[in-house]
Amino acid sequence: MPSIPLRNPSPAALEKLTQIVGSDRIRTTVAELYAYAFNAGMHRAMPGAVVQPKDPSQIAAIVSLANEHDFVIIPRGSGTSLCGHTTAVAGGLMIDLQEMNRIKEIKPGDLICVVEPGVICDRLNAALKKHRFFIPGPASSEVATLGGMVASNSSGDKALKYGATRDYVLGLEAVMPTGEIARFGTRTIKNSSGYQMEKLMVGMEGTLGIITEITLRMAPLPQKTAACVASFKHLSQAGRTVADIIGTPILPVQLELMSHACIEAVNKATKLNLPPAGGMLLIACDGHPEAVRSEIELIRSICSRNEAFRVDYTEDPKRIEELWKGRKQMIPSLSALKPEFATVMLADDMAVPISKVPDAIVGFEDIERQYDILIPTYGHAGDGNLHTKVLLNPENPEHWMQAKRAVESIYDLVLKLGGTVTGEHGVAMSKAEYFKKERADSIPFMRAIKRALDPRNIMNPYKIFDWDDGFLSHLRYPVEVSK
Amino acid sequence: MNRTFDDLEKQKLETINCTMCGYCKAVCPVFIDVGWDSASPRGRMILAYGLLTGEIEPDLSIADRLFQCTNCTDCMRRCPSNAKCPDVVRAARREMVKLGFVRPAQKMLVDNIETTGNIFADPELNLPEQDGPNLLFIGCQHLSRPNATKKTIRLLDRIGIQVGIMQEVCCGFPLEIMGFTDAHAEQKKRFEDRFKSDSRPVITLCPSCLVHLQHHYQPSASHILQEIDRRLDSIPLTPQTGKVTYHDPCDLSRGAKIIDEPRRILKKMGYDLVEMTNSGNQSRCCGGGGGILTWDAEIADHLSKRRIEEAVATGADMVVTACATCEQTLKKGTRMYAEASGTQPIPVRHLLDLLSKAIA
């Protein structure tokens, strides 16, 4: 890929920006530009300026200015995206939406709420809790913004039962790449009125516009949650159990799988003393108390049928929290395996058909051995979404090359199993290369949409299908890796 | 320009291993107030990384963000990767101080300690020496409120803890936290000259002195509230009434893990204790920590006002704390909050003062 020309706002454009938002809402200091170069992914690149607008009309004016002065725009929420969504590879103006954070409406009788893009998921849920509703969020819900969740169609460990962010978006308002303010979708639970444009904006990763308001449906808070932890001698038994539970059919709210290596890592790093096992399932059901008990009973018998040697069950919320602690401790526990190594966001959220989860895990372990690299696997097995965490010394180019080969093998396996390279994190830069293999047939149409809506290529350019530089480019680590 | 940052270099692994997940943003009081990413713990990690790799040149915008940290350490509690952001910030501060990024208020504090041995530049700031099997380390803040401190000493005596008092010098905590390496080393010598040969168990009044003494001099040093709590059942107290909320000083709760003791004492005194949203080991800084008062008093004011808002939301009649700096900061916060809201200021009291009055 030829080097990307920078399209930063010129001094004249910055002057006009000041008139739009006021000087206190623009930053061009070294500290700010460098801080906004980074996000939770493994890529980084500095924007030319950062702005915090207050309302859609300011954003519309900024986008019009970008068209007039030919600078690019990168919308950003909390900067928790994991694949380079908000990495300013062409410089430009970063629009930080964290200050647009009003919860505008909660309408329990209509089953909807309306929020600005900068609202943090947990803050919304705290407000919804009073009405006994919630929105399922990603693991980063305490810091992730709703705008970012919509733009990346994120989801978390409750997706099996409650779905991903896309399933909650009923309508939205966005500033389009040419500066118009558009409203898509409705405030109704159902609509058959034409193209579902609001869904097109879900997962667009900031390439088709800037979301300024979101209308979401809400899910009722369950009355009761119960959980069990099942330990198996072999990982394949745990894998079979997952498929049996889903096929019954039972839809647990959470169905997490931990491999032997992960259990060992958690036990080494914490005092949880999880029973040593070849594989472990953490399962939670929620809903009406009687339904929960009956589902859990069924699940226990399925676990036993698949030769679980131990099944712990609890309805105590504190105990449930404790049981999940091991899962939550996964990242630090894995990092602690080799303190000089870092966990990097390589091949971190593939999804395969649920029945293929055991094949995928066994395959990942083979790849781990083949390339002599640490790739522990865990994940939301119930929805086929698996996390691997590649552990390497990020200053060592050889480690990166080894990891690259391993990751390529992982992606090849995932595609062979009928899966996707990303279940919940998105594409942006890190997944683009293999995404293009996975969705080769769709890309001309995606590209046509992008070109039609953003003729001047203003909005977060060079992402998804337009990223051609592999996943080892613009690394945030102090290392030079030949791609 | 090629620079070497020897102190910061030791923290390189922390800056690389930080996964940049940003969870720290949800708990950092300064980020919550400022709203720009460079003001978050992750932002500070990034700036430290940039300095180390030479990708950014030290400037005032970077110094601002590093010195605006209140060192409340809540980021470290929340970090899923156990990254030690406060250590990185301290190391980066040391580098910035070496490069001359120093504010007049910091310089004054350093000069005060160097010339008079305490932060207030008061050569008379000491209580009369006395003998005792334990050594009470009073600390600058409590020495500056001698009447209240004398009552605290009487309180100790009443409950059977005989303490010795020596002519004190500052423990050096402010110098270390602000990044004045040389001044801290000098102060350490002065402190050791005064106290090193003394092997008596040390009891402290100030949470920051406590963590500093535990780290540098006597790991077994205790806090007065621990000593009182141990004897709580045998202390005669006049029953108190009222609904109070307790503000955990960061160094006492996250630093020294003293969380339950003050609560047990308040309940034993008869108070109805109500908790703020952020309390215990998840307490939120009042704006008085980490030297921020010497760098950006405006942000400190915002933080103290926010903390008072949180206290008022509990419906409590009074805010109680166990740190003289927190007390002062929150008293300012309560005045600002009252002015802004047109309400009566909620009283702020030090737990030791309440105890002195309540002991029968």
Side-chain angles (χ1 to χ4, degrees):
Chain A
M1 189 173 182
S3 70
I4 298 168
L6 290 181
R7 290 163 68 193
N8 285 322
S10 63
L14 285 174
E15 186 61 41
K16 287 185 180 170
L17 268 172
T18 309
Q19 289 164 15
I20 296 169
V21 295
S23 56
D24 62 326
R25 311 309 303 167
I26 299 178
R27 292 286 189 276
T28 52
T29 61
V30 172
E32 222 59 65
L33 299 185
Y34 195 68
Y36 280 86
F38 292 72
N39 47 60
M42 58 182 189
H43 310 288
R44 53 83 180 264
M46 277 223 301
V50 188
V51 64
Q52 286 187 338
K54 280 288 193 189
D55 59 49
S57 65
Q58 286 187 348
I59 297 176
I62 292 168
V63 175
S64 297
L65 193 69
N67 278 280
E68 189 189 324
H69 286 261
D70 193 40
F71 60 85
V72 303
I73 283 172
I74 307 101
R76 166 166 155 149
S78 279
T80 54
S81 58
L82 294 162
C83 308
H85 301 60
T86 61
T87 306
V89 289
L93 178 70
M94 194 161 280
I95 298 190
D96 176 350
L97 295 153
Q98 292 175 104
E99 295 292 307
M100 284 177 63
N101 55 18
R102 284 182 306 156
I103 298 172
K104 295 170 90 170
E105 291 178 65
I106 297 174
K107 295 271 188 189
D110 288 339
L111 205 63
I112 64 165
C113 60
V114 182
V115 298
E116 288 188 332
V119 171
I120 302 285
C121 182
D122 273 6
R123 196 182 130 227
L124 174 62
N125 277 332
L128 295 184
K129 194 176 179 186
K130 293 171 197 156
H131 305 276
R132 298 203 49 77
F133 287 102
F134 79 107
I135 306 281
S140 57
S141 60
E142 66 197 82
V143 64
T145 61
L146 266 304
M149 285 167 58
V150 173
S152 56
N153 187 26
S154 66
S155 58
D157 59 2
K158 293 181 177 171
L160 171 61
K161 181 168 180 178
Y162 290 105
T165 304
R166 68 168 173 233
D167 302 310
Y168 292 82
V169 176
L170 297 175
L172 53 79
E173 178 193 82
V175 175
M176 301 306 283
T178 38
E180 300 99 331
I181 299 176
R183 295 196 77 90
F184 300 126
T186 63
R187 291 165 62 93
T188 57
I189 298 302
K190 293 165 78 172
N191 100 65
S192 300
S193 54
Y195 291 0
Q196 305 287 294
M197 293 291 283
E198 69 283 4
K199 300 290 187 192
L200 174 65
M201 302 299 277
V202 177
M204 53 89 179
E205 300 185 0
T207 62
L208 297 181
I210 301 166
I211 297 163
T212 50
E213 184 190 282
I214 311 155
T215 303
L216 297 154
R217 70 172 290 160
M218 309 179 291
L221 267 179
Q223 287 179 45
K224 185 178 188 65
T225 302
C228 66
V229 179
S231 306
F232 300 86
K233 195 172 172 190
H234 303 291
L235 191 64
S236 55
Q237 295 166 328
R240 267 205 315 275
T241 307
V242 171
D244 284 358
I245 291 170
I246 303 297
T248 298
I250 299 171
L251 275 189
V253 60
Q254 287 156 305
L255 211 178
E256 302 286 307
L257 181 139
M258 286 164 71
S259 69
H260 171 72
C262 292
I263 298 165
E264 223 175 55
V266 169
N267 279 343
K268 198 172 163 189
T270 72
K271 292 173 183 167
L272 283 174
N273 286 326
L274 298 172
M280 180 178 282
L281 292 177
L282 297 100
I283 310 158
C285 291
D286 70 359
H288 188 276
E290 283 177 30
V292 169
R293 279 194 199 105
S294 117
E295 283 183 352
I296 287 280
E297 260 326 295
L298 263 173
I299 287 170
R300 292 175 78 175
S301 66
I302 295 168
C303 291
S304 302
R305 208 165 61 223
N306 283 294
E307 296 173 71
F309 65 83
R310 180 169 165 176
V311 184
D312 294 319
Y313 165 77
T314 182
E315 294 181 13
D316 175 9
K318 276 189 182 168
R319 178 72 184 133
I320 292 172
E321 198 186 323
E322 211 176 285
L323 287 173
W324 248 256
K325 231 179 189 174
R327 170 66 177 82
K328 286 179 182 168
Q329 288 287 323
M330 195 62 74
I331 295 175
S333 301
L334 292 174
S335 302
L337 281 176
K338 288 203 171 186
E340 72 279 18
F341 281 19
T343 57
V344 296
M345 287 296 162
L346 276 171
D348 50 330
D349 72 320
M350 300 72 60
V352 295
I354 299 164
S355 61
K356 302 289 184 192
V357 165
D359 296 341
I361 292 175
V362 170
F364 295 165
E365 287 180 347
D366 286 344
I367 292 165
E368 188 180 43
R369 279 188 292 275
Q370 187 185 344
Y371 293 99
D372 189 26
I373 191 163
L374 278 169
I375 319 175
T377 305
Y378 60 100
H380 320 310
D383 57 24
N385 189 190
L386 294 169
H387 295 299
T388 53
K389 284 277 172 249
V390 177
L391 282 164
L392 51 77
N393 175 352
E395 293 184 83
N396 184 335
E398 267 310 302
H399 279 205
W400 282 100
M401 292 315 291
Q402 254 174 306
K404 182 175 188 282
R405 289 188 283 271
V407 165
E408 286 167 350
S409 298
I410 288 174
Y411 283 150
D412 284 337
L413 173 66
V414 165
L415 296 184
K416 202 172 120 194
L417 292 171
T420 173
V421 295
T422 171
E424 59 183 18
H425 296 168
V427 179
M429 299 159 71
S430 311
K431 313 283 169 57
E433 188 179 338
Y434 273 77
F435 157 79
K436 285 191 269 191
K437 286 188 183 176
E438 177 194 323
R439 298 288 180 104
D441 295 346
S442 315
I443 284 171
F445 303 101
M446 292 189 190
R447 192 168 275 141
I449 293 169
K450 167 72 175 170
R451 302 291 179 261
L453 293 181
D454 186 11
R456 296 182 64 86
N457 206 18
I458 295 290
M459 294 301 309
N460 202 13
Y462 307 104
K463 298 291 165 66
I464 317 179
F465 39 80
D466 280 339
W467 180 249
D468 295 328
D469 212 14
F471 50 82
L472 297 186
S473 171
H474 291 71
L475 288 177
R476 75 167 167 89
Y477 301 98
V479 65
E480 283 294 325
V481 185
S482 62
K483 287 163 277 176
Chain B
M1 190 175 194
N2 278 337
R3 295 180 196 276
T4 52
F5 292 111
D6 296 340
D7 270 340
L8 199 50
E9 189 67 33
K10 293 170 198 153
Q11 302 294 333
K12 189 176 177 186
L13 209 56
E14 293 293 325
T15 66
I16 293 174
N17 285 355
C18 165
T19 62
M20 308 274 165
C21 66
Y23 287 16
C24 49
K25 290 171 67 176
V27 299
C28 173
V30 174
F31 171 73
I32 290 166
D33 185 68
V34 172
W36 293 91
D37 267 38
S38 62
S40 71
R42 175 175 74 177
R44 294 185 194 102
M45 287 291 239
I46 291 168
L47 297 179
Y49 173 85
L51 291 173
L52 262 175
T53 53
E55 290 177 1
I56 49 175
E57 275 293 300
D59 77 354
L60 191 58
S61 71
I62 298 167
D64 266 340
R65 294 317 194 202
L66 292 170
F67 285 104
Q68 283 166 349
C69 169
T70 67
N71 195 51
C72 75
T73 69
D74 206 16
C75 53
M76 198 161 71
R77 173 195 64 79
R78 181 59 198 93
C79 179
S81 303
N82 299 328
K84 296 176 182 64
C85 184
D87 290 352
V88 174
V89 168
R90 287 188 202 190
R93 283 180 174 187
R94 291 196 286 273
E95 304 295 1
M96 296 304 274
V97 168
K98 282 183 220 163
L99 292 170
F101 290 92
V102 175
R103 284 265 156 95
Q106 291 180 316
K107 181 80 174 59
M108 192 171 76
L109 199 65
V110 174
D111 288 346
N112 289 352
I113 295 171
E114 279 180 350
T115 53
T116 64
N118 63 68
I119 59 175
F120 298 106
D122 180 354
E124 306 300 318
L125 197 73
N126 259 309
L127 290 178
E129 293 197 10
Q130 67 180 52
D131 281 333
N134 302 289
L135 177 63
L136 183 69
F137 187 78
I138 297 168
C140 304
Q141 285 286 6
H142 282 266
L143 283 170
S144 76
R145 50 209 292 280
N147 291 337
T149 303
K150 281 175 193 165
K151 286 179 188 164
T152 301
I153 295 164
R154 277 202 294 276
L155 163 77
L156 285 170
D157 197 44
R158 290 280 302 277
I159 63 176
I161 304 172
Q162 277 77 49
V163 292
I165 294 172
M166 292 173 70
Q167 298 290 296
E168 290 190 1
V169 290
C170 173
C171 66
F173 175 79
L175 302 173
E176 185 179 51
I177 207 79
M178 292 190 304
F180 287 77
T181 316
D182 295 341
H184 179 241
E186 286 300 314
Q187 187 61 18
K188 197 170 179 189
K189 273 187 219 156
R190 284 191 283 271
F191 187 90
E192 283 175 346
D193 285 348
R194 188 81 50 103
F195 292 104
K196 190 96 191 228
S197 58
D198 198 316
S199 59
R200 287 175 293 179
V202 175
I203 300 170
T204 64
L205 302 182
C206 165
S208 303
C209 293
L210 172 69
V211 292
H212 196 71
L213 293 182
Q214 285 180 335
H215 184 69
H216 289 283
Y217 307 105
Q218 193 183 91
S220 61
S222 67
H223 188 263
I224 184 170
L225 293 183
Q226 291 173 298
E227 301 300 330
I228 293 169
D229 180 57
R230 278 184 205 122
R231 298 159 177 83
L232 199 53
D233 289 339
S234 58
I235 299 174
L237 291 165
T238 309
Q240 307 291 309
T241 56
K243 193 195 269 190
V244 303
T245 190
Y246 175 72
H247 164 77
D248 293 86
C250 302
D251 284 325
L252 202 62
S253 56
R254 279 184 290 274
K257 318 286 182 216
I258 297 172
I259 293 169
D260 296 334
E261 292 87 338
R263 288 172 169 78
R264 275 197 293 267
I265 294 168
L266 281 165
K267 285 177 187 166
K268 173 79 177 176
M269 290 168 79
Y271 288 114
D272 175 14
L273 178 65
V274 285
E275 295 288 358
M276 285 186 259
T277 310
N278 300 290
S279 63
N281 76 338
Q282 297 181 35
S283 181
R284 193 143 288 170
C285 177
C286 64
I292 191 173
L293 288 163
T294 58
W295 189 275
D296 198 326
E298 196 182 328
I299 292 180
D301 284 351
H302 296 175
L303 266 47
S304 61
K305 190 163 160 274
R306 278 172 189 270
R307 191 61 174 155
I308 290 296
E309 280 167 5
E310 217 181 303
V312 169
T314 64
D317 314 317
M318 179 166 60
V319 183
V320 183
T321 188
C323 164
T325 305
C326 294
E327 182 193 7
Q328 293 309 314
T329 314
L330 289 170
K331 277 183 171 164
K332 192 172 179 194
T334 199
R335 285 195 300 272
M336 288 186 295
Y337 177 81
E339 268 172 36
S341 62
T343 55
Q344 281 297 312
I346 184 170
V348 178
R349 297 282 181 270
H350 199 297
L351 177 52
L352 292 176
D353 296 344
L354 295 177
L355 263 170
S356 293
K357 282 183 188 154
I359 192 151

